[in-house]
Amino acid sequence: MRGAGVRATARIRARDDGRGGTSLPVLEGDGPLAVRRTRGSGAEARVMLVGAMSGPLGGDHFTVEAGVAEGARLRVGSAAATIALPGQTKDEARYDVRLGVEDGGELHWLPEQLISARGSDLYVTTYADLGATARLVLREEQVLGRAGEEPGRLVSRLRLRIAGRTVLDQELACGPGAPGGWDGPAVLAGHRAVGQLLVVRPEFAAEPVTARVLGEGVAVVPLAGPAALVTAVAPDALRLRGLLDQAQGSFA
Protein backbone atom coordinates (compact mmCIF):
# COMPACT_ATOMS: atom_id res chain seq x y z
CA MET A 1 0.00 0.00 0.00
CA ARG A 2 1.30 3.41 -0.94
CA GLY A 3 2.57 5.37 2.06
CA ALA A 4 2.21 9.08 2.62
CA GLY A 5 4.71 11.56 1.31
CA VAL A 6 6.35 10.04 -1.78
CA ARG A 7 9.39 11.95 -3.08
CA ALA A 8 10.35 11.56 -6.73
CA THR A 9 12.65 13.38 -9.15
CA ALA A 10 13.15 13.19 -12.91
CA ARG A 11 16.16 14.76 -14.64
CA ILE A 12 16.76 15.51 -18.30
CA ARG A 13 19.88 17.07 -19.81
CA ALA A 14 20.23 17.84 -23.51
CA ARG A 15 23.35 18.97 -25.37
CA ASP A 16 24.56 19.48 -28.93
CA ASP A 17 26.12 16.21 -30.09
CA GLY A 18 28.46 17.94 -32.56
CA ARG A 19 26.88 16.09 -35.52
CA GLY A 20 23.83 18.25 -36.08
CA GLY A 21 21.71 16.50 -33.45
CA THR A 22 20.98 16.55 -29.73
CA SER A 23 22.22 13.99 -27.20
CA LEU A 24 20.70 13.22 -23.80
CA PRO A 25 23.57 12.53 -21.37
CA VAL A 26 21.13 12.56 -18.45
CA LEU A 27 17.74 10.88 -18.68
CA GLU A 28 16.60 9.48 -15.36
CA GLY A 29 13.54 9.26 -13.15
CA ASP A 30 12.53 7.45 -10.00
CA GLY A 31 9.36 6.31 -8.26
CA PRO A 32 6.27 7.51 -10.10
CA LEU A 33 8.29 9.63 -12.56
CA ALA A 34 9.70 7.83 -15.59
CA VAL A 35 11.30 9.43 -18.66
CA ARG A 36 11.57 7.83 -22.09
CA ARG A 37 13.33 9.00 -25.22
CA THR A 38 11.15 8.83 -28.34
CA ARG A 39 11.89 9.30 -32.03
CA GLY A 40 13.23 12.80 -32.65
CA SER A 41 13.00 15.05 -35.67
CA GLY A 42 16.08 16.59 -37.28
CA ALA A 43 18.26 18.23 -34.62
CA GLU A 44 15.54 17.92 -31.98
CA ALA A 45 15.53 15.23 -29.28
CA ARG A 46 12.17 14.19 -27.86
CA VAL A 47 11.35 12.90 -24.39
CA MET A 48 8.12 11.61 -22.88
CA LEU A 49 7.24 11.79 -19.18
CA VAL A 50 5.43 8.65 -18.12
CA GLY A 51 3.58 8.42 -14.81
CA ALA A 52 4.26 5.01 -13.27
CA MET A 53 1.76 5.57 -10.41
CA SER A 54 -1.29 7.69 -9.70
CA GLY A 55 -0.82 11.11 -8.21
CA PRO A 56 0.51 13.32 -6.93
CA LEU A 57 -1.39 12.55 -3.74
CA GLY A 58 -1.52 14.61 -0.57
CA GLY A 59 1.95 14.86 0.96
CA ASP A 60 3.80 13.87 -2.23
CA HIS A 61 6.58 16.02 -3.68
CA PHE A 62 7.47 15.51 -7.35
CA THR A 63 10.26 17.42 -9.11
CA VAL A 64 11.14 17.49 -12.81
CA GLU A 65 14.36 19.17 -13.96
CA ALA A 66 15.27 19.80 -17.60
CA GLY A 67 18.38 21.56 -18.85
CA VAL A 68 19.20 22.43 -22.46
CA ALA A 69 22.77 23.37 -23.34
CA GLU A 70 23.94 25.76 -26.07
CA GLY A 71 22.90 24.60 -29.54
CA ALA A 72 20.70 21.73 -28.30
CA ARG A 73 17.01 21.31 -29.09
CA LEU A 74 14.61 19.40 -26.84
CA ARG A 75 10.88 18.68 -26.89
CA VAL A 76 9.24 17.22 -23.78
CA GLY A 77 5.68 15.90 -23.57
CA SER A 78 3.78 13.53 -21.30
CA ALA A 79 2.02 10.27 -22.03
CA ALA A 80 -1.19 11.21 -20.20
CA ALA A 81 -2.80 13.86 -18.06
CA THR A 82 -1.58 14.30 -14.48
CA ILE A 83 -4.36 13.91 -11.91
CA ALA A 84 -3.98 15.48 -8.46
CA LEU A 85 -5.79 13.25 -5.96
CA PRO A 86 -6.50 13.36 -2.23
CA GLY A 87 -4.06 11.32 -0.16
CA GLN A 88 -4.03 9.49 3.14
CA THR A 89 -3.01 12.72 4.85
CA LYS A 90 -4.35 16.24 4.51
CA ASP A 91 -0.90 17.57 3.65
CA GLU A 92 -0.42 19.63 0.51
CA ALA A 93 1.16 17.92 -2.49
CA ARG A 94 3.85 19.69 -4.52
CA TYR A 95 4.91 19.43 -8.14
CA ASP A 96 7.97 21.48 -9.08
CA VAL A 97 9.27 21.97 -12.62
CA ARG A 98 12.72 23.52 -13.12
CA LEU A 99 13.73 24.43 -16.66
CA GLY A 100 17.04 25.88 -17.84
CA VAL A 101 17.97 26.83 -21.40
CA GLU A 102 21.38 28.23 -22.30
CA ASP A 103 22.09 30.76 -25.05
CA GLY A 104 21.32 29.24 -28.43
CA GLY A 105 19.34 26.35 -26.92
CA GLU A 106 15.67 25.60 -27.56
CA LEU A 107 13.06 23.86 -25.41
CA HIS A 108 9.46 22.95 -26.15
CA TRP A 109 7.76 22.01 -22.87
CA LEU A 110 4.34 20.59 -23.79
CA PRO A 111 2.89 18.28 -21.11
CA GLU A 112 -0.71 17.10 -21.05
CA GLN A 113 -3.29 18.66 -18.74
CA LEU A 114 -3.15 18.76 -14.97
CA ILE A 115 -6.52 17.76 -13.49
CA SER A 116 -7.43 18.88 -9.98
CA ALA A 117 -9.72 16.19 -8.56
CA ARG A 118 -12.15 16.82 -5.71
CA GLY A 119 -10.46 16.76 -2.29
CA SER A 120 -6.93 17.23 -3.66
CA ASP A 121 -4.56 20.00 -2.58
CA LEU A 122 -1.70 20.73 -4.96
CA TYR A 123 0.86 23.51 -5.29
CA VAL A 124 2.58 23.59 -8.69
CA THR A 125 5.61 25.73 -9.50
CA THR A 126 7.22 26.13 -12.90
CA TYR A 127 10.49 28.08 -13.03
CA ALA A 128 12.21 28.74 -16.35
CA ASP A 129 15.68 30.32 -16.43
CA LEU A 130 16.87 31.26 -19.92
CA GLY A 131 19.92 32.76 -21.54
CA ALA A 132 19.53 35.94 -23.58
CA THR A 133 19.31 34.09 -26.93
CA ALA A 134 17.48 30.97 -25.71
CA ARG A 135 14.15 29.87 -27.15
CA LEU A 136 11.19 28.45 -25.26
CA VAL A 137 7.65 27.30 -25.94
CA LEU A 138 5.92 26.33 -22.69
CA ARG A 139 2.31 25.20 -22.36
CA GLU A 140 0.43 24.73 -19.10
CA GLU A 141 -3.16 23.53 -18.86
CA GLN A 142 -5.18 23.10 -15.67
CA VAL A 143 -8.61 21.46 -15.51
CA LEU A 144 -10.69 22.01 -12.38
CA GLY A 145 -12.37 18.75 -11.56
CA ARG A 146 -13.20 15.67 -13.59
CA ALA A 147 -16.53 15.42 -15.43
CA GLY A 148 -19.31 16.62 -13.13
CA GLU A 149 -16.93 17.00 -10.18
CA GLU A 150 -15.99 19.98 -8.04
CA PRO A 151 -12.27 20.77 -8.09
CA GLY A 152 -9.72 20.41 -5.36
CA ARG A 153 -7.49 23.26 -4.27
CA LEU A 154 -4.90 24.15 -6.91
CA VAL A 155 -2.23 26.84 -6.71
CA SER A 156 -0.07 27.33 -9.79
CA ARG A 157 2.95 29.62 -9.98
CA LEU A 158 4.81 30.42 -13.23
CA ARG A 159 8.09 32.32 -13.20
CA LEU A 160 10.37 33.24 -16.11
CA ARG A 161 13.89 34.73 -15.98
CA ILE A 162 15.81 35.81 -19.07
CA ALA A 163 19.49 36.71 -18.79
CA GLY A 164 19.13 36.94 -15.02
CA ARG A 165 16.11 39.26 -15.14
CA THR A 166 12.66 38.21 -13.97
CA VAL A 167 10.13 39.06 -16.69
CA LEU A 168 7.16 37.05 -15.37
CA ASP A 169 6.10 35.89 -11.92
CA GLN A 170 2.41 35.07 -11.57
CA GLU A 171 0.31 32.83 -9.35
CA LEU A 172 -3.24 31.58 -9.69
CA ALA A 173 -5.18 29.91 -6.86
CA CYS A 174 -8.43 28.04 -7.49
CA GLY A 175 -10.83 25.80 -5.61
CA PRO A 176 -11.72 25.47 -1.91
CA GLY A 177 -9.63 27.74 0.28
CA ALA A 178 -8.50 29.98 -2.58
CA PRO A 179 -8.99 33.76 -2.23
CA GLY A 180 -12.50 34.91 -3.04
CA GLY A 181 -13.26 35.83 -6.63
CA TRP A 182 -11.24 33.12 -8.36
CA ASP A 183 -14.37 31.88 -10.11
CA GLY A 184 -15.76 35.37 -10.76
CA PRO A 185 -15.82 37.46 -13.95
CA ALA A 186 -12.35 38.95 -13.35
CA VAL A 187 -10.63 35.54 -13.27
CA LEU A 188 -12.19 32.31 -14.59
CA ALA A 189 -15.74 33.57 -15.11
CA GLY A 190 -17.21 30.15 -14.41
CA HIS A 191 -14.88 28.27 -16.75
CA ARG A 192 -13.27 25.03 -15.61
CA ALA A 193 -10.16 24.98 -17.80
CA VAL A 194 -7.36 27.55 -17.80
CA GLY A 195 -4.06 27.59 -19.62
CA GLN A 196 -0.97 29.57 -20.46
CA LEU A 197 1.34 29.52 -23.46
CA LEU A 198 4.72 31.16 -22.93
CA VAL A 199 6.79 31.91 -26.04
CA VAL A 200 10.36 33.25 -25.85
CA ARG A 201 12.25 34.19 -29.01
CA PRO A 202 15.31 36.47 -29.32
CA GLU A 203 13.74 38.30 -32.29
CA PHE A 204 10.94 39.58 -30.03
CA ALA A 205 13.52 41.99 -28.55
CA ALA A 206 13.62 43.94 -31.84
CA GLU A 207 10.00 43.31 -32.82
CA PRO A 208 7.88 42.99 -29.65
CA VAL A 209 4.62 41.08 -29.81
CA THR A 210 1.51 43.24 -29.96
CA ALA A 211 -1.09 42.81 -27.22
CA ARG A 212 -4.26 41.43 -28.75
CA VAL A 213 -7.36 39.32 -28.21
CA LEU A 214 -7.38 36.21 -30.39
CA GLY A 215 -10.97 35.26 -29.64
CA GLU A 216 -13.36 34.68 -26.79
CA GLY A 217 -11.40 33.73 -23.71
CA VAL A 218 -7.88 34.05 -25.12
CA ALA A 219 -5.46 37.00 -25.14
CA VAL A 220 -1.79 37.68 -25.94
CA VAL A 221 0.31 39.99 -23.75
CA PRO A 222 3.93 41.03 -24.47
CA LEU A 223 6.34 40.73 -21.55
CA ALA A 224 9.22 43.02 -20.55
CA GLY A 225 11.70 41.00 -22.55
CA PRO A 226 11.79 38.87 -25.73
CA ALA A 227 8.71 36.96 -24.66
CA ALA A 228 4.93 36.83 -24.88
CA LEU A 229 2.28 35.21 -22.68
CA VAL A 230 -0.99 33.78 -23.93
CA THR A 231 -3.72 33.21 -21.33
CA ALA A 232 -6.88 31.27 -22.14
CA VAL A 233 -9.99 30.06 -20.32
CA ALA A 234 -12.47 27.55 -21.66
CA PRO A 235 -15.35 25.34 -20.50
CA ASP A 236 -13.34 22.13 -20.96
CA ALA A 237 -9.90 20.71 -21.77
CA LEU A 238 -10.64 20.08 -25.46
CA ARG A 239 -11.67 23.66 -26.11
CA LEU A 240 -8.70 24.96 -24.12
CA ARG A 241 -6.23 22.94 -26.20
CA GLY A 242 -7.79 24.29 -29.37
CA LEU A 243 -7.40 27.88 -28.19
CA LEU A 244 -3.75 27.40 -27.22
CA ASP A 245 -2.94 25.59 -30.48
CA GLN A 246 -4.51 28.49 -32.37
CA ALA A 247 -2.45 30.96 -30.37
CA GLN A 248 0.77 29.03 -30.96
CA GLY A 249 0.06 29.01 -34.69
CA SER A 250 -0.29 32.81 -34.65
CA PHE A 251 3.43 33.10 -33.76
CA ALA A 252 4.57 31.10 -36.81
Side-chain angles (χ1 to χ4, degrees), residues 70-81:
E70 181 179 359
R73 296 180 60 190
L74 175 66
R75 180 182 295 260
V76 180
S78 60

Side-chain angles (χ1 to χ4, degrees), residues 7 43 59 73 76 79 83 88 94 124 160 164 194 197 232 236 245:
R7 301 292 186 269
R73 296 180 60 190
V76 180
I83 304 178
Q88 295 178 344
R94 295 187 62 92
V124 182
L160 170 67
V194 58
L197 180 72
D236 54 49
D245 284 348

Side-chain angles (χ1 to χ4, degrees), residues 35-57:
V35 286
R36 301 286 184 266
R37 182 166 191 167
T38 61
R39 184 182 298 274
S41 176
E44 181 183 76
R46 296 187 177 184
V47 172
M48 192 71 67
L49 291 169
V50 180
M53 300 168 65
S54 62
L57 310 182

Side-chain angles (χ1 to χ4, degrees), residues 8-40:
T9 301
R11 296 182 179 88
I12 306 165
R13 297 288 183 271
R15 70 182 182 194
D16 186 343
D17 66 5
R19 304 187 302 274
T22 297
S23 65
L24 299 172
V26 178
L27 189 64
E28 58 188 27
D30 56 35
L33 294 177
V35 286
R36 301 286 184 266
R37 182 166 191 167
T38 61
R39 184 182 298 274

Side-chain angles (χ1 to χ4, degrees), residues 112-171:
E112 293 301 308
Q113 298 93 352
L114 169 62
I115 301 172
S116 173
R118 182 177 180 178
S120 64
D121 187 357
L122 178 64
Y123 186 72
V124 182
T125 61
T126 302
Y127 295 159
D129 198 347
L130 275 58
T133 60
R135 293 175 176 269
L136 173 69
V137 176
L138 181 153
R139 184 184 68 215
E140 287 190 339
E141 299 166 303
Q142 292 99 27
V143 180
L144 306 181
R146 292 167 291 193
E149 177 185 63
E150 289 300 310
R153 178 177 178 270
L154 175 63
V155 180
S156 177
R157 183 181 181 187
L158 176 60
R159 187 173 74 180
L160 170 67
R161 283 167 35 102
I162 301 176
R165 179 188 179 193
T166 299
V167 299
L168 175 68
D169 193 344
Q170 70 172 24
E171 184 173 280

